[in-house]
Amino acid sequence: MSGRSPFVILGLLSCLAALPLIHRHFQPPPVEQRQTVVPAPASAEPPAPLETLSDAGPEAQLLRIFNAIEGNRLGDALQLTENLLGQYPNYRLAHLIKGDLLLARTRPIASFGALSDAPADKIADLRAEALVRLKAYRERPEDKFVPRYLLQMQPDQRFAVVVDTRRSRLYLYANDRDNGGRPRFVADYYVTQGKLGADKYVEGDKKTPIGVYHVTANLPRQKLADLYGNGAFPINYPNEWDRRQGRGGSGIWLHGTPSDTFARPPLASDGCVVLTNQDLDTVAKNLQVGLTPVIISPSVEWLSLDDWARERAELNATIDAWRRDWESRDTERYLKHYSPRFKAGAQNFAAFAAQKTQVNAGKEWIKVSTDNLSVFRNPGQDEVVVVTFDQDYRSNNLNNRMKKRQYWQRENGKWKIIYEGSA
């Protein structure tokens, strides 16, 4: 077959071709202006020989299929699609592409999902999946950038999960303790989110929450309906900050897909984050109940390593100043670390300040240590960080150990504690 390819995929390839390449277009701002930077997409890998494709993930194989179609190599595209189906027999998107390729042998095709009896809504779902998969594959971040949220992981947190709802992507980062706890990119995966998008507010709104959470349980598939696939990992939504904002609902999990389904569309859950069963099995090996942070963002912000180190140092210094001022027994100086809007349970700032003034009056000395510190920036417009640590408090008349969680918010250029309590 010669001339223009008779197979058209509704602009998917033109959308991908328009994505800029990072090494050509991304220039960081000058040092004095540099803050948050979002790297442009990196270039895709060059096509690999057909015999090596069994080691490539779905996105890499889809890109090669579409490149073959664009190059009018429909025979190669069909072979690549059959290889993909050999790995993932339930992959509906691959079945649809195969059907179109077979149909293209007999007549020109002007749409994606050209079968006359194909349901329009299902075709739209598969088109959306193809687009977000391929764009995410092209936009994979470079090693010199890290998610802004992972400022400090505690030593026993081996991995962190960051979800980008706009890109329908889950990023897995390791806690690289050999490099001072710097987040190190491990892998990324396609995910499904709530039918009505992100920023959950109430029960039943079919949205995925935005915030900093932690894995709270590991539910095996034997205890679950088939909808949840190979297992589920609940997270602690709503957290303390959600409740302060009036957000409600429950039952937000990371989980898999039904046994007859390889992947679900990008917008298809009731609020959970859904992976393919194969990807869930891989990610599950790295999840620690009660420890692994799961940060869900509407669009991940990326920092250069220099900016990440500066933000981390600033916050660590601020937290340590709070600790030292508590030890000083100078109650006025200590209370300056708290926001006038501070609230923990039924206690507001005025009640908290009165209690601390009374308690400190009976102290001859105070020693406080903050071990196993983690600092995670909350996604969204408000500048909020979540701080968790093991607190060892000792004084002349009381010794106490607890796991404490604080929420710090930037007010008038200064970080202030707006909530604290037991974690």
mmCIF file of all heavy atoms in Angstrom, residues 343-363:
data_model
loop_
_atom_site.group_PDB
_atom_site.id
_atom_site.type_symbol
_atom_site.label_atom_id
_atom_site.label_comp_id
_atom_site.label_asym_id
_atom_site.label_seq_id
_atom_site.Cartn_x
_atom_site.Cartn_y
_atom_site.Cartn_z
ATOM 1 N N LYS A 343 -6.591 25.585 65.450
ATOM 2 C CA LYS A 343 -7.686 24.850 66.081
ATOM 3 C C LYS A 343 -7.342 23.383 66.074
ATOM 4 O O LYS A 343 -6.882 22.835 65.072
ATOM 5 C CB LYS A 343 -8.999 25.095 65.337
ATOM 6 C CG LYS A 343 -10.222 24.576 66.084
ATOM 7 C CD LYS A 343 -11.511 24.983 65.388
ATOM 8 C CE LYS A 343 -12.720 24.497 66.195
ATOM 9 N NZ LYS A 343 -13.997 24.866 65.535
ATOM 10 N N ALA A 344 -7.559 22.748 67.234
ATOM 11 C CA ALA A 344 -7.362 21.294 67.349
ATOM 12 C C ALA A 344 -8.510 20.749 68.180
ATOM 13 O O ALA A 344 -8.595 21.015 69.378
ATOM 14 C CB ALA A 344 -6.029 20.982 68.006
ATOM 15 N N GLY A 345 -9.401 20.038 67.528
ATOM 16 C CA GLY A 345 -10.590 19.589 68.219
ATOM 17 C C GLY A 345 -11.458 20.788 68.575
ATOM 18 O O GLY A 345 -11.720 21.664 67.747
ATOM 19 N N ALA A 346 -11.872 20.870 69.837
ATOM 20 C CA ALA A 346 -12.697 21.993 70.284
ATOM 21 C C ALA A 346 -11.857 23.162 70.775
ATOM 22 O O ALA A 346 -12.397 24.204 71.151
ATOM 23 C CB ALA A 346 -13.649 21.532 71.386
ATOM 24 N N GLN A 347 -10.541 23.013 70.775
ATOM 25 C CA GLN A 347 -9.655 24.033 71.348
ATOM 26 C C GLN A 347 -9.186 25.011 70.274
ATOM 27 O O GLN A 347 -8.544 24.621 69.299
ATOM 28 C CB GLN A 347 -8.446 23.358 72.007
ATOM 29 C CG GLN A 347 -7.596 24.281 72.855
ATOM 30 C CD GLN A 347 -6.453 23.539 73.514
ATOM 31 O OE1 GLN A 347 -5.684 22.832 72.851
ATOM 32 N NE2 GLN A 347 -6.321 23.688 74.830
ATOM 33 N N ASN A 348 -9.483 26.310 70.479
ATOM 34 C CA ASN A 348 -8.996 27.326 69.558
ATOM 35 C C ASN A 348 -7.689 27.911 70.075
ATOM 36 O O ASN A 348 -7.148 27.470 71.087
ATOM 37 C CB ASN A 348 -10.047 28.417 69.343
ATOM 38 C CG ASN A 348 -10.421 29.130 70.629
ATOM 39 O OD1 ASN A 348 -9.707 29.057 71.629
ATOM 40 N ND2 ASN A 348 -11.561 29.817 70.611
ATOM 41 N N PHE A 349 -7.171 28.918 69.371
ATOM 42 C CA PHE A 349 -5.867 29.458 69.750
ATOM 43 C C PHE A 349 -5.884 30.057 71.156
ATOM 44 O O PHE A 349 -4.932 29.869 71.933
ATOM 45 C CB PHE A 349 -5.416 30.517 68.738
ATOM 46 C CG PHE A 349 -4.132 31.192 69.120
ATOM 47 C CD1 PHE A 349 -2.918 30.528 68.986
ATOM 48 C CD2 PHE A 349 -4.131 32.481 69.661
ATOM 49 C CE1 PHE A 349 -1.725 31.134 69.361
ATOM 50 C CE2 PHE A 349 -2.949 33.086 70.034
ATOM 51 C CZ PHE A 349 -1.740 32.422 69.880
ATOM 52 N N ALA A 350 -6.922 30.807 71.500
ATOM 53 C CA ALA A 350 -6.974 31.449 72.815
ATOM 54 C C ALA A 350 -6.925 30.412 73.936
ATOM 55 O O ALA A 350 -6.180 30.572 74.919
ATOM 56 C CB ALA A 350 -8.233 32.306 72.928
ATOM 57 N N ALA A 351 -7.694 29.342 73.791
ATOM 58 C CA ALA A 351 -7.700 28.293 74.817
ATOM 59 C C ALA A 351 -6.359 27.575 74.869
ATOM 60 O O ALA A 351 -5.840 27.250 75.950
ATOM 61 C CB ALA A 351 -8.832 27.309 74.537
ATOM 62 N N PHE A 352 -5.772 27.335 73.684
ATOM 63 C CA PHE A 352 -4.468 26.674 73.626
ATOM 64 C C PHE A 352 -3.394 27.540 74.292
ATOM 65 O O PHE A 352 -2.566 27.047 75.074
ATOM 66 C CB PHE A 352 -4.118 26.411 72.164
ATOM 67 C CG PHE A 352 -2.762 25.810 71.936
ATOM 68 C CD1 PHE A 352 -2.529 24.459 72.165
ATOM 69 C CD2 PHE A 352 -1.705 26.604 71.494
ATOM 70 C CE1 PHE A 352 -1.267 23.909 71.946
ATOM 71 C CE2 PHE A 352 -0.449 26.053 71.285
ATOM 72 C CZ PHE A 352 -0.239 24.704 71.512
ATOM 73 N N ALA A 353 -3.411 28.835 74.005
ATOM 74 C CA ALA A 353 -2.410 29.748 74.567
ATOM 75 C C ALA A 353 -2.536 29.824 76.086
ATOM 76 O O ALA A 353 -1.519 29.823 76.810
ATOM 77 C CB ALA A 353 -2.561 31.129 73.949
ATOM 78 N N ALA A 354 -3.746 29.859 76.581
ATOM 79 C CA ALA A 354 -3.951 29.913 78.035
ATOM 80 C C ALA A 354 -3.448 28.638 78.702
ATOM 81 O O ALA A 354 -2.804 28.689 79.772
ATOM 82 C CB ALA A 354 -5.437 30.126 78.333
ATOM 83 N N GLN A 355 -3.707 27.513 78.083
ATOM 84 C CA GLN A 355 -3.250 26.234 78.644
ATOM 85 C C GLN A 355 -1.734 26.176 78.679
ATOM 86 O O GLN A 355 -1.134 25.775 79.695
ATOM 87 C CB GLN A 355 -3.810 25.078 77.821
ATOM 88 C CG GLN A 355 -3.363 23.706 78.324
ATOM 89 C CD GLN A 355 -3.634 22.600 77.310
ATOM 90 O OE1 GLN A 355 -3.848 22.859 76.136
ATOM 91 N NE2 GLN A 355 -3.608 21.364 77.784
ATOM 92 N N LYS A 356 -1.062 26.564 77.572
ATOM 93 C CA LYS A 356 0.396 26.501 77.516
ATOM 94 C C LYS A 356 1.033 27.466 78.516
ATOM 95 O O LYS A 356 2.066 27.157 79.131
ATOM 96 C CB LYS A 356 0.888 26.805 76.095
ATOM 97 C CG LYS A 356 0.624 25.688 75.106
ATOM 98 C CD LYS A 356 1.352 24.418 75.503
ATOM 99 C CE LYS A 356 1.135 23.293 74.521
ATOM 100 N NZ LYS A 356 1.800 22.038 74.954
ATOM 101 N N THR A 357 0.452 28.622 78.690
ATOM 102 C CA THR A 357 0.974 29.589 79.660
ATOM 103 C C THR A 357 0.917 29.015 81.077
ATOM 104 O O THR A 357 1.882 29.130 81.857
ATOM 105 C CB THR A 357 0.174 30.898 79.595
ATOM 106 O OG1 THR A 357 0.280 31.449 78.271
ATOM 107 C CG2 THR A 357 0.691 31.902 80.606
ATOM 108 N N GLN A 358 -0.185 28.372 81.404
ATOM 109 C CA GLN A 358 -0.345 27.770 82.729
ATOM 110 C C GLN A 358 0.623 26.611 82.932
ATOM 111 O O GLN A 358 1.274 26.498 83.984
ATOM 112 C CB GLN A 358 -1.782 27.303 82.919
ATOM 113 C CG GLN A 358 -2.067 26.681 84.285
ATOM 114 C CD GLN A 358 -3.506 26.208 84.401
ATOM 115 O OE1 GLN A 358 -4.249 26.176 83.429
ATOM 116 N NE2 GLN A 358 -3.894 25.827 85.615
ATOM 117 N N VAL A 359 0.736 25.743 81.924
ATOM 118 C CA VAL A 359 1.606 24.562 82.038
ATOM 119 C C VAL A 359 3.063 24.992 82.175
ATOM 120 O O VAL A 359 3.812 24.497 83.034
ATOM 121 C CB VAL A 359 1.414 23.634 80.824
ATOM 122 C CG1 VAL A 359 2.506 22.562 80.791
ATOM 123 C CG2 VAL A 359 0.039 22.986 80.858
ATOM 124 N N ASN A 360 3.517 25.918 81.322
ATOM 125 C CA ASN A 360 4.925 26.321 81.332
ATOM 126 C C ASN A 360 5.329 27.020 82.623
ATOM 127 O O ASN A 360 6.508 27.011 83.000
ATOM 128 C CB ASN A 360 5.220 27.224 80.139
ATOM 129 C CG ASN A 360 5.379 26.435 78.838
ATOM 130 O OD1 ASN A 360 5.286 25.203 78.838
ATOM 131 N ND2 ASN A 360 5.603 27.140 77.747
ATOM 132 N N ALA A 361 4.361 27.608 83.320
ATOM 133 C CA ALA A 361 4.665 28.275 84.587
ATOM 134 C C ALA A 361 5.164 27.286 85.636
ATOM 135 O O ALA A 361 5.893 27.668 86.559
ATOM 136 C CB ALA A 361 3.428 29.010 85.105
ATOM 137 N N GLY A 362 4.805 26.019 85.499
ATOM 138 C CA GLY A 362 5.235 25.005 86.457
ATOM 139 C C GLY A 362 6.440 24.212 86.005
ATOM 140 O O GLY A 362 6.780 23.179 86.614
ATOM 141 N N LYS A 363 7.124 24.646 84.948
ATOM 142 C CA LYS A 363 8.265 23.896 84.422
ATOM 143 C C LYS A 363 9.586 24.551 84.825
ATOM 144 O O LYS A 363 9.748 25.777 84.700
ATOM 145 C CB LYS A 363 8.194 23.822 82.887
ATOM 146 C CG LYS A 363 6.948 23.139 82.343
ATOM 147 C CD LYS A 363 6.861 21.680 82.737
ATOM 148 C CE LYS A 363 5.615 21.030 82.156
ATOM 149 N NZ LYS A 363 5.478 19.619 82.584
#
